[in-house]
Amino acid sequence: LARGDLPADLAGHRVLITAGGTREPIDPVRFIGNRSSGRQGSALAATALARGARVTLVSGEVSVPPPAGAEVVPVGSAREMREAVLAHSAAADAVVMAAAVADFRPAETAAGKIKKTGAGPEPVELAENPDILRELSAERARPGQVVVGFAAETDDVLANGRAKLDRKGCDLLVVNEVGDGRAFGTEDNQAVVLGADGSATEIPRGPKEDLADRVWDLVAQRIPEGGA
Ligand code: CTP
Ligand code: CA
């Protein structure tokens, strides 16, 4: 479909999208982060707006601006992202989690800047972050809510993706094959979307907007009639 021919099939629906990377504080000036650019989340927001949705974008650290018209909720850490997602999910007919959430955070955040002591570095102890996607999938804030995750996989991409979909309990999992400079920080994405109904939809390599539109196609089919 050309841009101008997009269906307004998300009109009357509210969607919640997470984007970007979380920052897990070590001390007031340092954090553990990742290379997520937020481009896929931004493309999802822009395409949802173009299809008539109202969009809430829970945004970690990103290197692209959010599309005009999205309600942006900025967050830092994974735990802040969880709070924001839970606070906004009850109003959403669909939740698409494109953010790169840190699996681990420093177990403690130092109140003051950590200084060199001359005795060598102290190890940073890590703690596991809450799994936002799994929690949201288990406790749907709204009947019929469609929950979508994103995963980057290597090796046996389909088997890993299917196992992850089952573990997360979401409706759809967009699985990107990574390696050779694909996915992270690039313009193009190639993916297969696995469904809890057993479906597998190949999405050819192309711009992140095209992948976003195919994801919304699959989401729109699954949203019950009469949304928010
Ligand atoms: N996710 C989440 N909360 C976390 C980690 C991940 O909500 N603490 C979400 C991501 O936003 C993404 C999906 O779960 O939509 C899959 O992320 P991924 O890192 O692939 O899943 P993990 O369970 O962390 O598996 P892995 O050990 O492969 O990193
Ligand atoms: Ca992870």
mmCIF file of all heavy atoms in Angstrom, residues 82-111:
data_model
loop_
_atom_site.group_PDB
_atom_site.id
_atom_site.type_symbol
_atom_site.label_atom_id
_atom_site.label_comp_id
_atom_site.label_asym_id
_atom_site.label_seq_id
_atom_site.Cartn_x
_atom_site.Cartn_y
_atom_site.Cartn_z
ATOM 1 N N ARG A 82 8.293 0.197 33.467
ATOM 2 C CA ARG A 82 7.214 -0.668 33.953
ATOM 3 C C ARG A 82 6.088 0.165 34.566
ATOM 4 O O ARG A 82 4.909 -0.058 34.264
ATOM 5 C CB ARG A 82 7.764 -1.653 34.983
ATOM 6 C CG ARG A 82 6.686 -2.502 35.643
ATOM 7 C CD ARG A 82 7.259 -3.471 36.672
ATOM 8 N NE ARG A 82 6.178 -4.149 37.379
ATOM 9 C CZ ARG A 82 5.555 -3.633 38.448
ATOM 10 N NH1 ARG A 82 5.921 -2.447 38.951
ATOM 11 N NH2 ARG A 82 4.569 -4.301 39.012
ATOM 12 N N GLU A 83 6.440 1.118 35.435
ATOM 13 C CA GLU A 83 5.416 1.962 36.074
ATOM 14 C C GLU A 83 4.589 2.695 35.021
ATOM 15 O O GLU A 83 3.362 2.753 35.104
ATOM 16 C CB GLU A 83 6.077 2.994 37.009
ATOM 17 C CG GLU A 83 6.697 2.402 38.267
ATOM 18 C CD GLU A 83 5.689 1.639 39.117
ATOM 19 O OE1 GLU A 83 4.582 2.181 39.342
ATOM 20 O OE2 GLU A 83 5.981 0.503 39.516
ATOM 21 N N ALA A 84 5.266 3.278 34.036
ATOM 22 C CA ALA A 84 4.580 4.060 33.002
ATOM 23 C C ALA A 84 3.682 3.172 32.148
ATOM 24 O O ALA A 84 2.552 3.540 31.814
ATOM 25 C CB ALA A 84 5.601 4.785 32.123
ATOM 26 N N VAL A 85 4.170 1.977 31.811
ATOM 27 C CA VAL A 85 3.376 1.063 30.987
ATOM 28 C C VAL A 85 2.131 0.619 31.756
ATOM 29 O O VAL A 85 1.012 0.636 31.224
ATOM 30 C CB VAL A 85 4.217 -0.158 30.542
ATOM 31 C CG1 VAL A 85 3.331 -1.263 29.976
ATOM 32 C CG2 VAL A 85 5.257 0.264 29.514
ATOM 33 N N LEU A 86 2.313 0.247 33.025
ATOM 34 C CA LEU A 86 1.152 -0.211 33.804
ATOM 35 C C LEU A 86 0.159 0.931 33.998
ATOM 36 O O LEU A 86 -1.054 0.721 33.968
ATOM 37 C CB LEU A 86 1.598 -0.793 35.145
ATOM 38 C CG LEU A 86 2.452 -2.070 35.061
ATOM 39 C CD1 LEU A 86 2.782 -2.597 36.450
ATOM 40 C CD2 LEU A 86 1.764 -3.156 34.229
ATOM 41 N N ALA A 87 0.654 2.157 34.162
ATOM 42 C CA ALA A 87 -0.228 3.311 34.374
ATOM 43 C C ALA A 87 -1.063 3.619 33.135
ATOM 44 O O ALA A 87 -2.172 4.139 33.246
ATOM 45 C CB ALA A 87 0.595 4.536 34.773
ATOM 46 N N HIS A 88 -0.545 3.318 31.949
ATOM 47 C CA HIS A 88 -1.231 3.697 30.711
ATOM 48 C C HIS A 88 -1.862 2.524 29.969
ATOM 49 O O HIS A 88 -2.550 2.729 28.975
ATOM 50 C CB HIS A 88 -0.279 4.439 29.776
ATOM 51 C CG HIS A 88 0.101 5.803 30.287
ATOM 52 N ND1 HIS A 88 1.170 6.022 31.136
ATOM 53 C CD2 HIS A 88 -0.475 7.005 30.109
ATOM 54 C CE1 HIS A 88 1.232 7.300 31.441
ATOM 55 N NE2 HIS A 88 0.251 7.926 30.830
ATOM 56 N N SER A 89 -1.644 1.302 30.420
ATOM 57 C CA SER A 89 -2.074 0.153 29.617
ATOM 58 C C SER A 89 -3.580 -0.087 29.664
ATOM 59 O O SER A 89 -4.138 -0.643 28.718
ATOM 60 C CB SER A 89 -1.328 -1.115 30.035
ATOM 61 O OG SER A 89 -1.595 -1.419 31.384
ATOM 62 N N ALA A 90 -4.248 0.332 30.754
ATOM 63 C CA ALA A 90 -5.682 0.040 30.869
ATOM 64 C C ALA A 90 -6.484 0.728 29.765
ATOM 65 O O ALA A 90 -7.553 0.258 29.385
ATOM 66 C CB ALA A 90 -6.201 0.458 32.238
ATOM 67 N N ALA A 91 -5.965 1.827 29.231
ATOM 68 C CA ALA A 91 -6.689 2.568 28.196
ATOM 69 C C ALA A 91 -6.356 2.071 26.785
ATOM 70 O O ALA A 91 -6.937 2.542 25.816
ATOM 71 C CB ALA A 91 -6.335 4.052 28.301
ATOM 72 N N ALA A 92 -5.435 1.111 26.681
ATOM 73 C CA ALA A 92 -4.913 0.741 25.362
ATOM 74 C C ALA A 92 -5.555 -0.531 24.812
ATOM 75 O O ALA A 92 -5.646 -1.543 25.502
ATOM 76 C CB ALA A 92 -3.401 0.565 25.428
ATOM 77 N N ASP A 93 -5.970 -0.496 23.541
ATOM 78 C CA ASP A 93 -6.484 -1.677 22.859
ATOM 79 C C ASP A 93 -5.341 -2.574 22.402
ATOM 80 O O ASP A 93 -5.529 -3.768 22.193
ATOM 81 C CB ASP A 93 -7.305 -1.261 21.639
ATOM 82 C CG ASP A 93 -8.497 -0.434 22.047
ATOM 83 O OD1 ASP A 93 -9.358 -0.955 22.762
ATOM 84 O OD2 ASP A 93 -8.540 0.764 21.689
ATOM 85 N N ALA A 94 -4.162 -1.975 22.233
ATOM 86 C CA ALA A 94 -2.985 -2.752 21.851
ATOM 87 C C ALA A 94 -1.753 -2.145 22.504
ATOM 88 O O ALA A 94 -1.655 -0.926 22.650
ATOM 89 C CB ALA A 94 -2.818 -2.764 20.332
ATOM 90 N N VAL A 95 -0.831 -3.009 22.898
ATOM 91 C CA VAL A 95 0.441 -2.566 23.477
ATOM 92 C C VAL A 95 1.559 -3.215 22.669
ATOM 93 O O VAL A 95 1.589 -4.443 22.527
ATOM 94 C CB VAL A 95 0.567 -2.984 24.960
ATOM 95 C CG1 VAL A 95 1.865 -2.439 25.549
ATOM 96 C CG2 VAL A 95 -0.630 -2.489 25.777
ATOM 97 N N VAL A 96 2.431 -2.399 22.114
ATOM 98 C CA VAL A 96 3.539 -2.908 21.311
ATOM 99 C C VAL A 96 4.847 -2.488 21.973
ATOM 100 O O VAL A 96 5.146 -1.304 22.091
ATOM 101 C CB VAL A 96 3.467 -2.386 19.853
ATOM 102 C CG1 VAL A 96 4.641 -2.931 19.040
ATOM 103 C CG2 VAL A 96 2.142 -2.790 19.213
ATOM 104 N N MET A 97 5.615 -3.486 22.404
ATOM 105 C CA MET A 97 6.805 -3.216 23.211
ATOM 106 C C MET A 97 8.070 -3.328 22.353
ATOM 107 O O MET A 97 8.679 -4.392 22.263
ATOM 108 C CB MET A 97 6.867 -4.214 24.364
ATOM 109 C CG MET A 97 5.549 -4.293 25.145
ATOM 110 S SD MET A 97 5.607 -3.396 26.658
ATOM 111 C CE MET A 97 6.962 -4.192 27.405
ATOM 112 N N ALA A 98 8.423 -2.209 21.736
ATOM 113 C CA ALA A 98 9.603 -2.184 20.880
ATOM 114 C C ALA A 98 10.852 -1.739 21.629
ATOM 115 O O ALA A 98 11.939 -1.693 21.055
ATOM 116 C CB ALA A 98 9.355 -1.256 19.688
ATOM 117 N N ALA A 99 10.713 -1.401 22.910
ATOM 118 C CA ALA A 99 11.868 -0.911 23.677
ATOM 119 C C ALA A 99 12.882 -2.014 23.934
ATOM 120 O O ALA A 99 12.527 -3.191 24.029
ATOM 121 C CB ALA A 99 11.394 -0.329 25.009
ATOM 122 N N ALA A 100 14.140 -1.615 24.041
ATOM 123 C CA ALA A 100 15.209 -2.510 24.488
ATOM 124 C C ALA A 100 15.352 -2.308 25.998
ATOM 125 O O ALA A 100 15.941 -1.325 26.453
ATOM 126 C CB ALA A 100 16.504 -2.182 23.763
ATOM 127 N N VAL A 101 14.738 -3.218 26.746
ATOM 128 C CA VAL A 101 14.720 -3.108 28.207
ATOM 129 C C VAL A 101 15.946 -3.828 28.754
ATOM 130 O O VAL A 101 16.191 -4.988 28.415
ATOM 131 C CB VAL A 101 13.444 -3.759 28.783
ATOM 132 C CG1 VAL A 101 13.384 -3.584 30.291
ATOM 133 C CG2 VAL A 101 12.197 -3.177 28.125
ATOM 134 N N ALA A 102 16.707 -3.152 29.604
ATOM 135 C CA ALA A 102 17.878 -3.800 30.206
ATOM 136 C C ALA A 102 17.432 -4.982 31.051
ATOM 137 O O ALA A 102 16.497 -4.870 31.843
ATOM 138 C CB ALA A 102 18.645 -2.810 31.080
ATOM 139 N N ASP A 103 18.088 -6.126 30.864
ATOM 140 C CA ASP A 103 17.738 -7.304 31.660
ATOM 141 C C ASP A 103 18.187 -7.137 33.113
ATOM 142 O O ASP A 103 17.544 -7.652 34.026
ATOM 143 C CB ASP A 103 18.389 -8.555 31.065
ATOM 144 C CG ASP A 103 17.794 -8.911 29.709
ATOM 145 O OD1 ASP A 103 16.613 -8.583 29.474
ATOM 146 O OD2 ASP A 103 18.505 -9.511 28.885
ATOM 147 N N PHE A 104 19.297 -6.435 33.287
ATOM 148 C CA PHE A 104 19.881 -6.288 34.627
ATOM 149 C C PHE A 104 20.144 -4.821 34.938
ATOM 150 O O PHE A 104 20.407 -4.026 34.049
ATOM 151 C CB PHE A 104 21.204 -7.055 34.700
ATOM 152 C CG PHE A 104 21.079 -8.494 34.272
ATOM 153 C CD1 PHE A 104 21.645 -8.932 33.079
ATOM 154 C CD2 PHE A 104 20.379 -9.403 35.048
ATOM 155 C CE1 PHE A 104 21.521 -10.258 32.675
ATOM 156 C CE2 PHE A 104 20.259 -10.733 34.656
ATOM 157 C CZ PHE A 104 20.830 -11.164 33.468
ATOM 158 N N ARG A 105 20.091 -4.485 36.216
ATOM 159 C CA ARG A 105 20.431 -3.135 36.672
ATOM 160 C C ARG A 105 21.436 -3.266 37.802
ATOM 161 O O ARG A 105 21.493 -4.323 38.453
ATOM 162 C CB ARG A 105 19.176 -2.414 37.188
ATOM 163 C CG ARG A 105 18.588 -3.066 38.419
ATOM 164 C CD ARG A 105 17.401 -2.310 39.020
ATOM 165 N NE ARG A 105 16.947 -2.960 40.236
ATOM 166 C CZ ARG A 105 16.103 -3.987 40.280
ATOM 167 N NH1 ARG A 105 15.599 -4.473 39.163
ATOM 168 N NH2 ARG A 105 15.783 -4.531 41.433
ATOM 169 N N PRO A 106 22.199 -2.216 38.092
ATOM 170 C CA PRO A 106 23.034 -2.257 39.285
ATOM 171 C C PRO A 106 22.141 -2.499 40.514
ATOM 172 O O PRO A 106 21.091 -1.858 40.643
ATOM 173 C CB PRO A 106 23.667 -0.866 39.332
ATOM 174 C CG PRO A 106 23.688 -0.435 37.904
ATOM 175 C CD PRO A 106 22.405 -0.990 37.313
ATOM 176 N N ALA A 107 22.538 -3.435 41.362
ATOM 177 C CA ALA A 107 21.710 -3.783 42.522
ATOM 178 C C ALA A 107 21.491 -2.565 43.406
ATOM 179 O O ALA A 107 20.432 -2.407 44.012
ATOM 180 C CB ALA A 107 22.359 -4.912 43.312
ATOM 181 N N GLU A 108 22.504 -1.697 43.473
ATOM 182 C CA GLU A 108 22.351 -0.455 44.235
ATOM 183 C C GLU A 108 22.871 0.705 43.403
ATOM 184 O O GLU A 108 23.841 0.557 42.669
ATOM 185 C CB GLU A 108 23.142 -0.522 45.547
ATOM 186 C CG GLU A 108 22.383 -1.256 46.632
ATOM 187 C CD GLU A 108 23.267 -1.620 47.810
ATOM 188 O OE1 GLU A 108 24.207 -0.846 48.104
ATOM 189 O OE2 GLU A 108 23.011 -2.685 48.405
ATOM 190 N N THR A 109 22.198 1.841 43.525
ATOM 191 C CA THR A 109 22.678 3.054 42.879
ATOM 192 C C THR A 109 23.396 3.891 43.944
ATOM 193 O O THR A 109 22.804 4.219 44.976
ATOM 194 C CB THR A 109 21.501 3.860 42.304
ATOM 195 O OG1 THR A 109 20.801 3.055 41.348
ATOM 196 C CG2 THR A 109 21.984 5.131 41.623
ATOM 197 N N ALA A 110 24.681 4.197 43.696
ATOM 198 C CA ALA A 110 25.436 4.999 44.671
ATOM 199 C C ALA A 110 24.832 6.397 44.756
ATOM 200 O O ALA A 110 24.467 6.984 43.727
ATOM 201 C CB ALA A 110 26.902 5.071 44.259
ATOM 202 N N ALA A 111 24.695 6.921 45.968
ATOM 203 C CA ALA A 111 24.095 8.246 46.148
ATOM 204 C C ALA A 111 25.018 9.339 45.615
ATOM 205 O O ALA A 111 24.558 10.341 45.069
ATOM 206 C CB ALA A 111 23.788 8.486 47.623
#
